[in-house]
Amino acid sequence: MSVYEKLQALNITLPAVAVPAAAYVMYAQSGNTVYLSGHLAKKDGKIWVGQLGKDTTTEEAKLAARGIAIELIATLQAACGGDLKRVKRIVKLMSLVNSTGDFTEQHLVTNGASELIGEVFGKQGKHARSAFGVAQLPLGACVEIEMIAEIE
């Protein structure tokens, strides 16, 4: 099953690529490696604000991370000239979770993105990963995730 068939089977329509919120680009390519800038969690088209361990649950933030993965796939498609079949491998995800000092489930939050990437890209979606707890994120977002991919 192709990446596009998997997206369709999951009832996922890729959104338009987000516009940078500051002085950066949404992706940069060096050789066959594409670096995707951090994408912030959104809910109903607005930044999904919250802090884990205070006012946002692990399950809510896991859904936020899944939503970010969909946006990352859309940005990756743009980086591939519109063709996700050019993706050779998802190399790494780095996840930043807006957390209180005693929250320790950043890895479970990040599974929301990792699991979807695995479903969509199959064995090419198996990736290295880091998940960090941070004191705050831009605009109060609950989660931010960036991605590195190898393309043909």
Side-chain angles (χ1 to χ4, degrees), residues 36-114:
L36 278 64
S37 292
H39 286 51
L40 299 175
K42 293 181 186 156
K43 185 176 187 179
D44 301 324
K46 296 182 171 100
I47 297 299
W48 193 330
V49 174
Q51 188 172 47
L52 281 289
K54 181 180 177 188
D55 56 15
T56 303
T57 68
T58 299
E59 284 305 310
E60 289 170 324
K62 187 175 177 181
L63 289 173
R66 184 182 190 282
I68 292 171
I70 293 168
E71 290 199 8
L72 285 165
I73 294 168
T75 302
L76 182 57
Q77 179 174 255
C80 291
D83 186 4
L84 286 170
K85 293 181 218 158
R86 291 183 56 206
V87 175
K88 283 184 75 174
R89 173 116 204 233
I90 305 302
V91 177
K92 184 169 183 181
L93 294 183
M94 186 179 79
S95 174
L96 304 169
V97 180
N98 185 347
S99 309
T100 61
D102 59 350
F103 182 80
T104 61
E105 295 185 341
Q106 291 84 1
H107 61 295
L108 299 177
V109 168
T110 307
N111 280 346
S114 291

Side-chain angles (χ1 to χ4, degrees), residues 110-130:
T110 307
N111 280 346
S114 291
E115 290 167 359
L116 181 65
I117 296 292
E119 282 184 80
V120 171
F121 290 99
K123 75 177 181 182
Q124 289 137 318
K126 293 193 182 290
H127 54 273
R129 186 179 90 178
S130 299

